[in-house]
Amino acid sequence: MGKNYVNEVPEISALKTGVQTIFSKPESSLVYGNSDINFPKITSQLAYEVELVAKIGKRGKAILLNEAISYISEIAVGIDFTAKDVLAASRENKGPWALAKGFDGASPMSAFLPVSKFPDLSAIYFDLKINGEQKQIGTTSLMIYNFAEIITYVSSFMTLEEDDLIFTGTPARGAGLIEKGDHLQASIENKLLLDFKMM
């Protein structure tokens, strides 16, 4: 999901139009097990965005808002990589985002934690460090659309299947470009879960 975080809570109401920015990634873009990732040859401008990821635990279509949270089984942290130069070229021709977002290695994922570990989904802290330097800090209290609203919206268009993953957006500040050799570490509630290098 794109453009889903603000810097301050009062900004949310003005940006909550009801239209969410959604794109999809293929399963082949996923990388598990804290495996190091080869810098993709398709780009010279690789951008990172840290995101919380919700795993869907059961099949659902046109899910009601008050039932949506029951469809989440686990939570993880992941990186949404974007080939910025590929995206720019696609936008010039009003093309889709698929090649810029869905290449092999575009979606490194941490291990999952049961959703029961998070008593308040509106107050989850997560962050990203690169080469030991804090780059992004997020809290779900700054989401424009919360977990339930995302699930309800997406399921109004497409059926959600068990084990589908929803990347729920990146903090409003701190996204940037990656270089070869960079060491990325992402945490949820100060627990290090994602730890890999760009090779």
Side-chain angles (χ1 to χ4, degrees), residues 2-176:
K3 301 178 181 178
N4 193 38
Y5 275 78
V6 294
N7 291 311
E8 303 290 342
V9 171
E11 299 173 32
I12 292 175
S13 58
L15 296 171
K16 204 162 193 169
T17 62
V19 179
Q20 301 180 31
T21 302
I22 304 295
F23 56 87
S24 62
K25 286 174 171 262
E27 187 174 356
S28 57
S29 72
L30 296 170
V31 181
Y32 290 103
N34 285 328
S35 298
D36 293 338
I37 297 175
N38 291 322
F39 196 99
K41 295 179 180 178
I42 61 164
T43 182
S44 60
Q45 296 179 330
L46 185 64
Y48 63 84
E49 297 175 88
V50 68
E51 307 197 18
L52 289 180
V53 183
K55 180 186 279 190
I56 299 300
K58 57 185 177 181
R59 192 172 191 266
K61 170 68 177 174
I63 298 167
L64 298 176
L65 188 63
N66 63 353
E67 298 176 354
I69 294 303
S70 71
Y71 283 78
I72 302 174
S73 60
E74 297 173 283
I75 301 286
V77 64
I79 306 293
D80 169 23
F81 280 134
T82 304
K84 298 293 279 188
D85 42 3
V86 176
L87 181 60
S90 181
R91 281 176 166 166
E92 276 188 24
N93 298 310
K94 299 183 179 179
W97 295 10
L99 298 181
K101 291 275 196 181
F103 54 88
D104 291 354
S107 312
M109 290 287 312
S110 77
F112 282 87
L113 301 174
V115 70
S116 59
K117 295 275 189 184
F118 303 96
D120 185 359
L121 294 182
S122 68
I124 302 175
Y125 171 91
F126 62 108
D127 73 292
L128 172 68
K129 293 181 176 71
I130 299 178
N131 303 325
E133 180 182 350
Q134 191 82 68
K135 291 293 188 179
Q136 289 190 281
I137 298 173
T139 171
T140 51
S141 64
L142 294 175
M143 290 172 111
I144 299 170
Y145 298 99
N146 61 33
F147 288 98
E149 290 167 330
I150 296 169
I151 289 169
T152 295
Y153 184 79
V154 173
S155 71
S156 71
F157 290 89
M158 62 189 78
T159 299
L160 290 173
E161 301 285 358
E162 184 177 357
D163 295 332
D164 276 351
L165 304 178
I166 299 178
F167 282 65
T168 57
T170 196
R173 287 182 292 199

